[in-house]
Amino acid sequence: MLLAPIIWVLTVGIVYFFAAKTWWFPPPINQHGMDYDAQFMRTLIVVGIVFTLAQFALGYVIMKFRNDGGKASHSHGNNFLETLWTSATAILFLGLVVMGTKIWAGVHFDEAPPDAIPIEVMAKQFSWNFRYTGPDGKFGHTDLHLINDAGGDPFGLDPKDPAGKDDIMSGSLKVPAGKPIKLIMHSRDVIHNFFVPELRMKQDIVPGMEIPIHFQADKIGIYEVPCSELCGLGHFQMRTTMQVMSEADFEQWKQQQAANK
């Protein structure tokens, strides 16, 4: 007898914690993040309504058909109702998938804008490294045999290639606010995952593959970049930051890095 009220109370409590956003995402810092959150809320509302109705219906069934000492009976079901709710579930699910596909494809399938700033990313156990072009706008040639972490060269720049003389390397990601960014990602060892919660973006980085992804960050600040793919015993310490700067500060940072080479 008490089971039905317990289910109803738990349902109300669960709905409250989601509706009040007791545990929630950090605020988005770009349009993609806002679109992502809007789609997430639409999905959550639809699923929440179905969940609430289902749990209250479950409590009602428990009370109505509880054991009252009488003779047990059975039902062969209702084909019409089963067809109806199965079809409705499929339509809702597919509809939400179609609505969300455009948001996901905008990052993973669409090409980066022509003026996007290219930044090469090197993931390895258990650190991140980023490479920027210098004034010539070109990346220098790299060779795996030339990698020297102790010497500050995690990319293996070829000293014979003049295009790499002005390349800038950094242990943290620096980007200008309001400008499109194209990341060119590589892994030196195992699968890693680039994740910035405020961008609402995650992307696996697979060894032997060059994986591009593009975004734009609009809010100045410093944001954590953890690896969100279990990559070994030191996975917990594989994190860095993304600093979103004004365009003037970003250019000043690049000039300072070039002057220190």
Side-chain angles (χ1 to χ4, degrees), residues 74-87:
H74 70 279
S75 170
H76 291 288
N78 187 311
N79 290 337
F80 172 75
L81 288 178
E82 291 182 9
T83 302
L84 180 63
W85 66 54
T86 301
S87 300

Side-chain angles (χ1 to χ4, degrees), residues 9-247:
V9 170
L10 287 174
T11 301
V12 172
I14 291 170
V15 171
Y16 166 76
F17 281 115
F18 274 99
K21 298 183 179 180
T22 308
W23 305 290
W24 210 245
F25 309 120
I29 59 173
N30 59 1
Q31 186 60 47
H32 168 77
M34 290 187 283
D35 294 341
Y36 182 100
D37 284 4
Q39 178 61 28
F40 180 82
M41 282 304 302
R42 285 191 288 267
T43 303
L44 191 61
I45 289 170
V46 171
V47 173
I49 291 173
V50 173
F51 168 77
T52 303
L53 293 177
Q55 297 310 304
F56 272 86
L58 175 61
Y60 168 77
V61 169
I62 290 173
M63 291 191 65
K64 181 175 176 60
F65 298 102
R66 69 188 184 278
N67 183 9
D68 56 3
K71 184 179 179 180
S73 61
H74 70 279
S75 170
H76 291 288
N78 187 311
N79 290 337
F80 172 75
L81 288 178
E82 291 182 9
T83 302
L84 180 63
W85 66 54
T86 301
S87 300
T89 300
I91 292 171
L92 282 174
F93 176 77
L94 292 175
L96 290 170
V97 168
V98 170
M99 291 173 67
T101 297
K102 183 178 180 181
I103 299 171
W104 181 85
V107 172
H108 296 279
F109 288 165
D110 292 353
E111 291 289 334
D115 60 340
I117 299 172
I119 302 173
E120 190 171 359
V121 182
M122 181 63 73
K124 68 181 182 68
Q125 296 173 314
F126 297 98
S127 65
W128 297 95
N129 288 281
F130 304 90
R131 183 164 68 127
Y132 300 76
T133 62
D136 63 0
K138 299 178 181 178
F139 285 117
H141 179 261
T142 59
D143 188 331
L144 289 175
H145 298 92
L146 298 175
I147 289 175
N148 184 356
D149 289 323
D153 186 4
F155 289 89
L157 286 175
D158 186 349
K160 298 178 181 179
D161 184 4
K165 299 293 185 181
D166 58 355
D167 285 5
I168 298 168
M169 287 179 280
S170 172
S172 60
L173 180 60
K174 315 283 188 182
V175 300
K179 294 292 184 180
I181 306 296
K182 179 181 179 180
L183 299 184
I184 307 162
M185 301 192 288
H186 304 266
S187 171
R188 259 170 50 185
D189 36 47
V190 299
I191 297 177
H192 298 282
N193 186 284
F194 178 85
F195 177 39
V196 181
E198 290 80 3
L199 290 176
R200 306 294 191 262
M201 285 177 51
K202 295 180 73 174
Q203 176 60 56
D204 278 346
I205 310 175
V206 183
M209 296 179 64
E210 180 175 282
I211 300 177
I213 192 169
H214 61 92
F215 66 89
Q216 178 175 307
D218 299 319
K219 187 175 180 180
I220 292 174
I222 298 176
Y223 308 97
E224 185 181 19
V225 184
C227 173
S228 57
E229 180 73 33
L230 183 59
C231 58
L233 292 176
H235 167 69
F236 70 95
Q237 67 186 17
M238 187 172 172
R239 59 186 63 208
T240 185
T241 59
M242 178 182 75
Q243 184 175 0
V244 182
M245 318 163 73
S246 68
E247 188 173 0

